[in-house]
Every structure is written in structure tokens, then in C-alpha cells.
Amino acid sequence: MSDHRKRGRAKAQAAAKSRHDSMKQLRKDWSLKDSDEYAAELVSTFGSPVQAPVDVNESPRLRMESASTEGERTQEKSRWLGYTALAVAVLSMFMFPTLFGSAAIVLGGISYMKGMRALGVWSVILGLISLAGYFLLLPLYS
């Protein structure tokens, strides 16, 4: 073997040993096990880049699926709250305007804050109309 190849092989072995030592140091610093996965690269001053650890127990896809499922559940609960507020607001037009109108305003406000903006706004408006109509017509009938 030529002298050039020997030096190249010695450099490659030194780089591999450096990588191995830096991996040992990372495991020691972060108390890693040999079974941990690595995703991000860390740049060291000597040798080639080393990867940072990633938790293999929970995949990002599962986290996204669970987050989207929770978001859909929250959206569905908000939707039913909005429809309930709208039903109470319409009901307040025909009976117990002070009770149902006030309830429609409160439920509509909560629905608006939860994300069902249109249903919340309509419920609040109808509840206010019902209350205003009641208080304007009350003196005429008493």
C-alpha cells in the first residue's frame, strides 16, 4: 500500500473514532440509550456532523392525528353550543323573552369566543332584539 493511502486510512479511522467519541459524549450528556433515534444534525468542530436524539415512542404523525381529533371535537362542541344559543334566541321571540333572551346573549357570547362566530353573533343579536322588544312593549300592556 502506498504512503498516501495509509495516511488517508489513518485519517478516516481517526474521524470514525472522533464520531464514536462524540456520540458517547452525547449519550453521556443527555443520558441516551443505544436504541434512541437521531434526527437533527449537530455540528462539531472536528469530524462529520452528529445527529440529535429523537423520542421514538411517539411519532409526529400520531401527535398530529391526536391534535386534529381534539380540534374536531372542540369544533363540534362549539358548533352545538352555537346552535343551542340560536335555538334559545329564536325561542325567546315567542316566550319568556327576559329569561331566554338573556340566556341567548350569554350562550351566543360563549359560542363566539369558542370559534363559532356567525352563530354567536346571530344569537346575541336575536337575544338583544327579543329583550328590547319586550321592554318596549311591556309598558303598552301594563
Side-chain angles (χ1 to χ4, degrees):
M1 219 188 278
S2 70
D3 190 40
H4 178 67
R5 282 189 177 170
K6 286 181 184 177
R7 279 186 282 171
R9 180 172 281 173
K11 277 186 177 180
Q13 288 174 347
K17 182 168 176 39
S18 170
R19 274 194 305 267
H20 183 70
D21 291 342
S22 62
M23 288 296 293
K24 276 186 174 179
Q25 185 65 34
L26 276 175
R27 285 192 181 100
K28 188 177 175 184
D29 289 347
W30 291 338
S31 65
L32 299 176
K33 300 174 189 145
D34 290 334
S35 63
D36 287 341
E37 238 180 75
Y38 297 91
E41 293 184 357
L42 299 175
V43 178
S44 63
T45 54
F46 302 105
S48 56
V50 182
Q51 293 182 341
V54 172
D55 187 16
V56 291
N57 295 333
E58 187 177 344
S59 69
R61 193 168 107 206
L62 287 175
R63 275 184 267 155
M64 282 194 323
E65 288 174 359
S66 66
S68 66
T69 304
E70 289 175 11
E72 289 172 3
R73 287 182 189 152
T74 305
Q75 185 76 12
E76 190 173 322
K77 287 179 183 176
S78 299
R79 183 177 300 135
W80 280 107
L81 181 67
Y83 286 129
T84 303
L86 190 62
V88 170
V90 170
L91 194 61
S92 74
M93 295 286 191
F94 303 106
M95 56 194 273
F96 307 118
T98 53
L99 176 68
F100 288 142
S102 302
I105 292 169
V106 170
L107 289 175
I110 293 171
S111 175
Y112 181 84
M113 298 302 268
K114 294 265 185 185
M116 297 306 295
R117 307 252 189 241
L119 288 172
V121 167
W122 276 106
S123 300
V124 169
I125 289 172
L126 289 177
L128 286 172
I129 290 172
S130 176
L131 276 175
Y134 174 73
F135 287 121
L136 287 175
L137 294 176
L138 182 69
L140 296 176
Y141 293 106
S142 51

